[in-house]
Amino acid sequence: MVTLSSPSPSLSCIEESGTCKGSHVSRVLVSGPDKIHGESSETKILRDVHISERLMEDFTELARENTEKDLETCGTLAAFLERGVFYVTTLIIPKQESTANSCQAMNEVEVFSIQNERELYPVGWIHTHPSQGCFMSSVDLHTHYSYQVMVPEAFAIVIAPTDSSRSYGIFKITDPGGMEVLRGCSETGFHEHREPEDGNPVYEHCSNVYKNSNLRFEIFDLR
């Protein structure tokens, strides 16, 4: 469960990957390196998104201390748009309050400031499930809805180190089905969502996100 809601002062760029020799781009997978996990219900044409796998690994390492204490960690993913493709170049880890199944971002004005200074799009977010499986909770879905309403390509990464079936997942809310369900839901906390009327699940794995080994990025840890 993650709640990201509001933008801080001391910014610390702690990682920027170097450009690799020989760029390699591949579709982000959930269950294997060369095949897409499942089919998308998306009827709209979504722009591709590129992200560095190293960024995900670095976030996991930065979250390790919390993970060992069974506390969630969350961060915002920001990207620039070039020739119809989003490139995730910035990970921002805000001040936050965490429990084993929740993470509340604090003082998000700092996050917005970094995005605005660099003219970046908020294309998604990443958080850990330190002792749970790799899935999107009802609270996660409401958090993600606010991203996907702004940017249809927005995605959510769940890092679940104790899930033996998959250690991470990259998800989005189905559109229009799941988005209509979330739009009409006013409940808070953990709760059940009704099935979309179009027969699709509320959320699914992304099919337009690619790993790009040549993509440079920076991380701001504001905690």
Side-chain angles (χ1 to χ4, degrees), residues 192-216:
E192 294 290 327
H193 283 119
R194 65 177 175 80
E195 291 296 317
E197 294 181 0
D198 60 10
N200 286 308
V202 175
Y203 71 95
E204 64 186 356
H205 295 283
C206 291
S207 59
N208 64 313
V209 179
Y210 294 80
K211 292 182 292 185
N212 186 334
S213 64
N214 202 42
L215 188 59
R216 301 178 64 184

Side-chain angles (χ1 to χ4, degrees), residues 67-89:
T67 300
E68 292 175 348
K69 296 176 182 177
D70 196 20
L71 297 173
E72 287 194 2
T73 306
C74 62
T76 296
L77 301 169
F80 71 88
L81 180 64
E82 184 175 287
R83 297 181 182 178
V85 177
F86 284 110
Y87 296 92
V88 178
T89 56

Side-chain angles (χ1 to χ4, degrees), residues 24-97:
H24 176 69
V25 179
S26 61
R27 187 81 59 103
V28 170
L29 309 169
V30 174
S31 55
D34 295 311
K35 71 176 182 180
I36 302 169
H37 184 94
E39 293 297 323
S40 172
S41 68
E42 188 63 59
T43 56
K44 301 175 182 177
I45 301 299
L46 293 179
R47 290 167 288 195
D48 289 339
V49 181
H50 287 212
I51 187 171
S52 169
E53 188 170 23
R54 172 72 183 277
L55 183 152
M56 296 164 58
E57 294 169 351
D58 286 357
F59 172 79
T60 301
E61 184 59 34
L62 288 169
R64 183 180 300 279
E65 183 177 347
N66 274 358
T67 300
E68 292 175 348
K69 296 176 182 177
D70 196 20
L71 297 173
E72 287 194 2
T73 306
C74 62
T76 296
L77 301 169
F80 71 88
L81 180 64
E82 184 175 287
R83 297 181 182 178
V85 177
F86 284 110
Y87 296 92
V88 178
T89 56
T90 306
L91 164 64
I92 309 168
I93 304 175
K95 292 180 178 67
Q96 51 198 264
E97 294 180 352

Side-chain angles (χ1 to χ4, degrees), residues 10-212:
S10 63
L11 308 182
S12 174
C13 178
I14 60 175
E15 180 73 39
E16 183 172 354
S17 69
T19 302
C20 306
K21 292 182 179 179
S23 175
H24 176 69
V25 179
S26 61
R27 187 81 59 103
V28 170
L29 309 169
V30 174
S31 55
D34 295 311
K35 71 176 182 180
I36 302 169
H37 184 94
E39 293 297 323
S40 172
S41 68
E42 188 63 59
T43 56
K44 301 175 182 177
I45 301 299
L46 293 179
R47 290 167 288 195
D48 289 339
V49 181
H50 287 212
I51 187 171
S52 169
E53 188 170 23
R54 172 72 183 277
L55 183 152
M56 296 164 58
E57 294 169 351
D58 286 357
F59 172 79
T60 301
E61 184 59 34
L62 288 169
R64 183 180 300 279
E65 183 177 347
N66 274 358
T67 300
E68 292 175 348
K69 296 176 182 177
D70 196 20
L71 297 173
E72 287 194 2
T73 306
C74 62
T76 296
L77 301 169
F80 71 88
L81 180 64
E82 184 175 287
R83 297 181 182 178
V85 177
F86 284 110
Y87 296 92
V88 178
T89 56
T90 306
L91 164 64
I92 309 168
I93 304 175
K95 292 180 178 67
Q96 51 198 264
E97 294 180 352
S98 304
T99 69
N101 57 16
S102 68
C103 186
Q104 172 71 55
M106 313 295 290
N107 198 5
E108 288 182 293
V109 173
E110 295 179 325
V111 177
F112 298 155
S113 295
I114 294 173
Q115 292 175 162
N116 291 340
E117 288 168 5
R118 289 159 176 74
E119 299 182 346
L120 301 174
Y121 292 83
V123 295
W125 55 296
I126 183 170
H127 77 289
T128 57
H129 280 184
S131 57
Q132 301 183 69
C134 187
F135 68 100
M136 293 281 280
S137 72
S138 57
V139 176
D140 293 339
L141 289 170
H142 280 276
T143 297
H144 187 65
Y145 176 80
S146 64
Y147 280 90
Q148 201 167 317
V149 162
M150 294 188 297
V151 182
E153 290 81 4
F155 59 98
I157 301 177
V158 178
I159 304 292
T162 61
D163 191 325
S164 58
S165 62
R166 59 180 183 224
S167 60
Y168 73 88
I170 302 181
F171 306 108
K172 69 179 183 68
I173 299 171
T174 57
D175 192 5
M179 291 294 283
E180 290 177 353
V181 170
L182 270 296
R183 186 178 300 113
C185 179
S186 60
E187 293 189 55
T188 60
F190 295 105
H191 56 278
E192 294 290 327
H193 283 119
R194 65 177 175 80
E195 291 296 317
E197 294 181 0
D198 60 10
N200 286 308
V202 175
Y203 71 95
E204 64 186 356
H205 295 283
C206 291
S207 59
N208 64 313
V209 179
Y210 294 80
K211 292 182 292 185
N212 186 334

